[in-house]
């Protein structure tokens, strides 16, 4: 659970909801071929259970009542990486702030590889 406290009370949003929201938003951007494992734990879980974990390539933290989102992606070969990264950053920030009302301070995008068609 991710908790935010304001003058009206405490807001709780499940981690799974935010991971799904961020993952679907990032995957829908042009040039994103796949998500990559963000942590060694995700790599281990994928090898043990054989399926993609729900939070593959996504790490969400709360810092000073603002969200910090890390995305690890694999891009399609031949696309403009700078344009892809800017698009992902803007789209993820807008979608999360629009759907949850939480402020996103940073969206960090890490390119972990390229995939050919």
């Amino acid at each position: 659970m991710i908790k935010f406290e304001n003058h009206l009370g405490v807001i709780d949003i499940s981690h799974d909801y935010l991971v799904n929201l961020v993952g679907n938003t990032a995957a829908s951007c042009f040039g994103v071929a796949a998500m990559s494992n963000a942590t060694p734990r995700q790599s281990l879980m994928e090898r043990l259970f054989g399926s993609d974990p729900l939070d593959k390539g996504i790490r969400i933290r709360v810092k000073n009542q603002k969200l910090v989102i890390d995305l690890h992606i694999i891009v399609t070969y031949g696309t403009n990486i700078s344009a892809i990264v800017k698009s992902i950053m803007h789209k993820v920030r807008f979608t999360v702030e629009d759907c949850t009302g939480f402020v996103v301070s940073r969206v960090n995008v890490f390119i972990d590889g390229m995939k050919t068609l």
Side-chain angles (χ1 to χ4, degrees), residues 2-59:
I2 296 179
K3 297 182 180 203
F4 281 95
E5 190 171 336
N6 62 16
H7 66 284
L8 298 174
V10 177
I11 302 169
D12 293 330
I13 290 189
S14 84
H15 187 264
D16 291 343
Y17 171 76
L18 279 175
V19 165
N20 276 330
L21 182 65
V22 170
N24 289 331
T25 302
S28 70
C29 289
F30 176 76
V32 177
M35 301 298 284
S36 178
N37 289 318
T39 63
R41 179 187 159 275
Q42 289 178 352
S43 298
L44 179 65
M45 295 299 282
E46 184 177 6
R47 288 190 179 140
L48 288 176
F49 299 111
S51 63
D52 285 345
L54 183 65
D55 59 348
K56 183 175 182 175
I58 302 167
R59 183 169 177 229

Side-chain angles (χ1 to χ4, degrees), residues 24-94:
N24 289 331
T25 302
S28 70
C29 289
F30 176 76
V32 177
M35 301 298 284
S36 178
N37 289 318
T39 63
R41 179 187 159 275
Q42 289 178 352
S43 298
L44 179 65
M45 295 299 282
E46 184 177 6
R47 288 190 179 140
L48 288 176
F49 299 111
S51 63
D52 285 345
L54 183 65
D55 59 348
K56 183 175 182 175
I58 302 167
R59 183 169 177 229
I60 300 174
R61 300 168 296 188
V62 178
K63 187 174 182 182
N64 297 331
Q65 296 289 1
K66 296 179 182 177
L67 294 176
V68 178
I69 301 170
D70 295 335
L71 297 170
H72 292 262
I73 64 168
I74 297 172
V75 297
T76 306
Y77 178 78
T79 55
N80 185 341
I81 293 175
S82 176
I84 292 170
V85 170
K86 286 179 185 176
S87 172
I88 292 169
M89 289 170 59
H90 292 294
K91 191 169 184 180
V92 167
R93 176 173 292 180
F94 173 78

